[in-house]
Amino acid sequence: MRERIVSVIAPELPFFVYGTLRPGEGNHDLLLRGRTLREEPARLSGALLYDGPGYPYAVEAPGEAGATVAGELVTARPEAYARLLAELDRLEEYVPGDPRNLYERVVREVVRVDGSAAARAWVYVAAPAVAAGLRARGNLIEGGDWLARR
């Protein structure tokens, strides 16, 4: 097991989730149910969605036509935020600065589907080595919607 590194204090931003953390998926019930203030349909531009082994990866693709990922903008309850951030990092096996990460947690702008203001949010995107492999031989999810892939 990798050693956990205590990260610097992260800003309390909402999370953009696009796979198993979306409503109706298993990790949503496990980690998010009852711990959020709002969950709003949203889109992340500048990324493509790839099918991984049981879960998806958003791969950054700035400037690529049609590069959009569907998901939810999740605002955590303030009293649950710190613990939820730690649990999401653990779920995604994300350790700040670790070159073995499968995902990187980055701040990106997402757009609410209802057309209201865009928001900055934490997004777990494929780490560079993973992204390169997916671009070369991964299974692209057309339309960028994990829930519509079935």
Side-chain angles (χ1 to χ4, degrees), residues 34-107:
R35 299 167 90 181
T36 65
L37 292 174
R38 283 181 304 287
E39 298 178 16
E40 307 165 88
R43 294 203 167 278
L44 170 67
S45 295
L48 297 168
L49 194 62
Y50 285 86
D51 197 359
Y55 43 86
Y57 287 93
V59 173
E60 295 195 277
E64 190 165 328
T68 303
V69 174
E72 318 296 321
L73 182 63
V74 175
T75 303
R77 293 185 178 282
E79 66 275 12
Y81 191 88
R83 185 169 177 191
L84 181 58
L85 177 63
E87 289 176 6
L88 292 175
D89 280 353
R90 189 170 28 260
L91 173 72
E92 307 297 4
E93 298 181 33
Y94 168 71
V95 177
D98 190 328
R100 298 171 294 174
N101 286 338
L102 298 177
Y103 291 94
E104 293 295 329
R105 178 169 34 89
V106 298
V107 176

Side-chain angles (χ1 to χ4, degrees), residues 7 20 53 68 92 113 124 136 139:
S7 63
T20 66
T68 303
E92 307 297 4
V113 172
Y124 292 90
N139 296 319

